[in-house]
Amino acid sequence: MSLQKEIDRRKTFGIISHPDAGKTTLTEKLLLFGGAIQEAGAVKSNKIKKGATSDFMEIERQRGISVATSVLAFEYDGIKINILDTPGHKDFAEDTFRTLTAVDSVIIVIDVAKGVEEQTEKLVEVCRMRNIPMIVFVNKLDREGKDAFELLDEIEQKLHLKVTPLSFPIGMGYDFKGIYNIWEKNVNLFSGDSRKNIEETIEIEDLANKELDELIGEKASETLREELELVEGIYPKFDRVAYLAAELQPVFFGSALNNFGVRELLDCFIQIAPKPQPKSSNTRLVKPEEKEFSGFVFKIHANMDPKHRDRLAFVKIVSGTFERNTNYMHVRNGKKMKFSSPNAFFAEKKQIVDVSYPGDIVGLHDTGNFKIGDTLTEGEEMKYKGIPSFSPEFFKYINNADPMKSKQLEKGIDQLMDEGVAQLFTLELNGRKVVGTVGALQFEVIQYRLEHEYGATCRYENLNVHKACWVEPKDPKSDEFKDFKRVKSKFLAKDKRGQLVFFADSAFTLQMTQSKYPNVKLHFVSEFEKNEKAKA
Ligand code: G4P
């Protein structure tokens, strides 16, 4: 098959949701449709379960699972689908943000009873910023929940989306009768049999058809007719161009657990979702159909066996074909590298592949050469953009608790930071190391992994930082910037890439600093082409 054909038949996407909305269940049902798994219950949840074990032991368990579920690939109707897994726990939000740099579209799962929840709001905001096409799946229709119109309203208000339903529920909870598929113009009746894999759909081209009354009863048909009339009046017609431009989001209703409404979602998804998209590098826009291979690392996974320190770097292929045993250039360190056993993913299995195409993810064994965001090419000097660091929420000094093991500690911290577990800052004044994380749990994870994988012990010391801001002086030689550096010297640090960072201890300090030094810009994100200023 030609490169173009391989590109055209690929869809790489992520499923995002608030924990418990049904992401794992939906993933599993999609895999069932693809024949990639044979039974329900095969996909393990990557959720952090509260309970018997301590949180960080639970994280270790979750880490084991998430190697297996990082990429779930399957074929459906001639289309190669790559689902990129995103962690559900909010403390791992940064991981999810990074994964979102490697998807071409997303499906958002919303619980019909709970509506739009906090985690969903944050993730959708990132997708909106990046103009990622989104489809919404309202789940758990077999339970009592919010009225469909109310929910669509909430989605528009809270997620700032413009929606158009492509299916519509007939009743809900106890009265749930099925869905009307606006996209395919048919009715799918719900039987409540959760083991049923194949749904029966009944073509209803014309809603006035009396057959509808016989199928779902007169009252329900009357309501459905009225509701669909309202839908037509209120919501715009589906327009693929607008969807691809992230200006319109189609909505589907169903019940993942009952495998209901999932086929409709999948059938529409493979028709409308984008194929692998071009990506900006620091020098140019790279198109998937270019002959030369290029890709970038969006995730690094440490080996679960503490004795072997090799890691798996997940590379999204942006252009050309990636081939086994071929020399590629690791742009950041200027080295040529060859990979003898690149892994591709199929359902939950890894296998060595000879060739991969744009949209695919390959897992490369790494002994410490890769950092998140690294670019691989056939020799071209360019770097893919778009894996920024965000200001952490929690900050602590990290100290060595065992002077005999300082080398191990240094190496351990270095590698864990490359994996993206947390961010490391070095204070300008005294060289002390500060770890910044998105969630409090990460401190435990770091301590545990340093001990078990590197034989090093660390102690933390509290540090009061409200936000870390990346500093961008208008003129690095100006007196204003010199003054800023002198006055704020106690609060300045370098991040791992050597960029200057200002630790503001409060929102007030941040405001004051900005007004005193208007030509020294402070950003909450490490990549700041957009020149957006930090807000207190
Ligand atoms: P997540 O990955 O988004 O966190 O959610 P997950 O799929 O694990 O689903 C969370 C809970 O919601 C699970 O129940 C799951 O069975 C249930 N669920 C998912 N889809 C539906 C649906 O369409 N209808 C109903 N009624 N429930 C649904 P649990 O009790 O937490 O876990 P389990 O013991 O059933 O696995």
Side-chain angles (χ1 to χ4, degrees):
M1 216 183 284
S2 69
L3 174 62
Q4 187 64 54
K5 279 199 175 132
E6 291 288 1
I7 295 167
D8 290 346
R9 71 179 204 96
R10 275 169 168 72
K11 313 265 181 200
T12 302
F13 77 106
I15 304 180
I16 55 175
S17 71
H18 193 86
D20 271 346
K23 180 167 72 77
T24 312
T25 315
L26 178 65
T27 307
E28 182 175 279
K29 296 299 145 87
L30 292 174
L31 291 177
L32 272 174
F33 274 110
I37 54 169
Q38 264 65 49
E39 54 184 305
V43 177
K44 293 175 201 79
S45 167
N46 70 2
K47 255 186 310 191
I48 300 203
K49 295 206 163 107
K50 297 263 174 205
T53 47
S54 77
D55 275 347
F56 66 92
M57 285 305 285
E58 192 48 35
I59 287 164
E60 281 300 289
R61 187 192 68 87
Q62 186 259 344
R63 212 156 64 82
I65 292 170
S66 74
V67 184
T69 58
S70 287
V71 186
L72 296 160
F74 65 98
E75 298 250 347
Y76 179 75
D77 215 9
I79 303 285
K80 164 97 187 282
I81 298 175
N82 296 310
I83 307 182
L84 305 195
D85 193 31
T86 54
H89 197 286
K90 70 169 173 26
D91 285 8
F92 294 87
E94 186 125 1
D95 229 22
T96 303
F97 296 148
R98 284 191 291 256
T99 299
L100 289 176
T101 63
V103 302
D104 295 303
S105 71
V106 300
I107 293 180
I108 306 160
V109 183
I110 288 173
D111 182 324
V112 69
K114 296 196 179 135
V116 173
E117 294 171 89
E118 186 199 343
Q119 189 76 351
T120 316
E121 279 184 61
K122 284 198 187 134
L123 294 170
V124 169
E125 196 183 324
V126 175
C127 295
R128 258 200 349 259
M129 266 163 47
R130 302 223 167 109
N131 291 327
I132 301 177
M134 294 173 249
I135 296 179
V136 180
F137 181 72
V138 178
N139 191 26
K140 308 196 186 182
L141 263 286
D142 57 317
R143 287 205 187 149
E144 290 301 325
K146 300 187 182 187
D147 165 74
F149 287 107
E150 192 190 319
L151 200 58
L152 290 169
D153 238 23
E154 188 179 324
I155 294 170
E156 290 208 321
Q157 300 297 326
K158 285 199 178 160
L159 299 178
H160 308 282
L161 300 180
K162 182 116 203 72
V163 300
T164 185
L166 286 187
S167 78
F168 208 79
I170 308 170
M172 182 196 297
Y174 185 72
D175 273 336
F176 182 51
K177 294 199 164 49
I179 47 173
Y180 180 76
N181 189 336
I182 300 173
W183 174 250
E184 291 173 4
K185 292 202 170 38
N186 57 32
V187 167
N188 188 358
L189 296 181
F190 180 61
S191 76
D193 178 358
S194 62
R195 277 159 303 185
K196 194 179 71 163
N197 283 336
I198 302 184
E199 306 165 32
E200 271 178 63
T201 46
I202 301 142
E203 298 293 321
I204 304 270
E205 279 281 339
D206 180 6
L207 278 171
N209 195 332
K210 281 283 167 227
E211 206 188 332
L212 188 65
D213 302 57
E214 282 158 34
L215 282 173
I216 59 174
E218 245 174 67
K219 200 164 157 250
S221 330
E222 215 34 57
T223 315
L224 179 66
R225 286 186 186 108
E226 279 167 25
E227 286 179 335
L228 289 175
E229 212 170 287
L230 262 179
V231 166
E232 229 185 288
I234 303 175
Y235 300 102
K237 245 189 151 44
F238 175 72
D239 169 6
R240 182 160 185 239
V241 175
Y243 155 71
L244 291 176
E247 284 159 8
L248 184 67
Q249 287 76 28
V251 181
F252 284 85
F253 292 83
S255 163
L257 186 65
N258 293 291
N259 205 359
F260 195 80
V262 179
R263 185 198 55 77
E264 285 82 348
L265 172 72
L266 183 57
D267 280 347
C268 177
F269 173 84
I270 59 167
Q271 287 180 51
I272 67 169
K275 60 184 184 187
Q277 294 296 295
K279 192 169 171 70
S280 290
S281 75
N282 59 341
T283 55
R284 66 193 186 87
L285 186 72
V286 182
K287 298 202 184 84
E289 39 288 318
E290 291 180 18
K291 261 182 77 185
E292 292 204 351
F293 158 77
S294 68
F296 66 96
V297 178
F298 66 94
K299 179 177 182 136
I300 292 178
H301 217 294
N303 200 305
M304 291 304 289
D305 180 354
K307 285 185 222 79
H308 294 279
R309 241 181 249 142
D310 74 321
R311 313 184 287 181
L312 207 55
F314 290 80
V315 174
K316 159 99 185 263
I317 300 174
V318 178
S319 68
T321 49
F322 174 91
E323 290 173 28
R324 189 155 86 99
N325 282 325
T326 304
N327 269 316
Y328 293 119
M329 166 127 126
H330 183 309
V331 178
R332 182 173 51 81
N333 61 20
K335 264 201 231 163
K336 287 265 180 194
M337 294 176 90
K338 217 197 265 207
F339 305 93
S340 59
S341 52
N343 281 291
F345 304 86
F346 186 70
E348 289 194 87
K349 292 190 250 348
K350 283 192 298 192
Q351 59 197 42
I352 291 173
V353 277
D354 291 325
V355 188
S356 300
Y357 300 95
D360 284 341
I361 311 298
V362 282
L364 304 178
H365 288 284
D366 170 42
T367 47
N369 288 307
F370 285 120
K371 280 192 201 331
I372 284 177
D374 280 350
T375 303
L376 280 176
T377 66
E378 289 195 15
E380 185 174 346
E381 297 267 350
M382 65 167 181
K383 185 180 170 345
Y384 281 112
K385 298 195 283 190
I387 306 204
S389 301
F390 294 85
S391 171
E393 301 288 324
F394 300 91
F395 298 82
K396 283 181 200 280
Y397 285 117
I398 182 163
N399 301 322
N400 187 6
D402 180 354
M404 305 294 287
K405 298 278 172 66
S406 60
K407 268 221 168 85
Q408 284 88 331
L409 185 77
E410 211 168 294
K411 181 162 187 188
I413 294 179
D414 206 46
Q415 295 208 343
L416 292 182
M417 301 302 140
D418 286 351
E419 253 181 67
V421 177
Q423 292 180 57
L424 187 73
F425 303 95
T426 310
L427 280 183
E428 288 270 89
L429 199 65
N430 51 21
R432 286 191 75 180
K433 304 257 188 266
V434 173
V435 170
T437 68
V438 178
L441 267 181
Q442 265 96 335
F443 290 110
E444 280 184 76
V445 175
I446 293 167
Q447 204 161 29
Y448 176 86
R449 288 189 59 191
L450 281 174
E451 201 177 322
H452 287 81
E453 291 169 37
Y454 300 89
T457 41
C458 72
R459 263 186 297 107
Y460 294 116
E461 211 178 301
N462 283 334
L463 176 66
N464 175 30
V465 178
H466 166 66
K467 287 276 181 218
C469 306
W470 280 267
V471 180
E472 184 197 20
K474 204 168 176 184
D475 175 9
K477 294 203 181 87
S478 65
D479 286 342
E480 183 179 327
F481 185 52
K482 280 184 195 144
D483 188 51
F484 168 84
K485 287 211 338 188
R486 187 181 50 78
V487 174
K488 300 290 179 192
S489 63
K490 264 170 66 185
F491 306 99
L492 292 178
K494 287 264 167 73
D495 72 0
K496 265 206 91 180
R497 288 185 255 184
Q499 285 177 281
L500 190 66
V501 171
F502 169 58
F503 286 161
D505 57 8
S506 68
F508 178 71
T509 307
L510 196 55
Q511 245 174 20
M512 292 303 290
T513 310
Q514 273 188 333
S515 58
K516 189 165 171 208
Y517 303 102
N519 293 313
V520 178
K521 283 198 181 138
L522 301 173
H523 304 270
F524 283 157
V525 181
S526 67
E527 275 189 12
F528 37 75
E529 287 96 339
K530 282 185 201 143
N531 275 336
E532 44 179 286
K533 247 178 154 182
K535 282 185 220 96

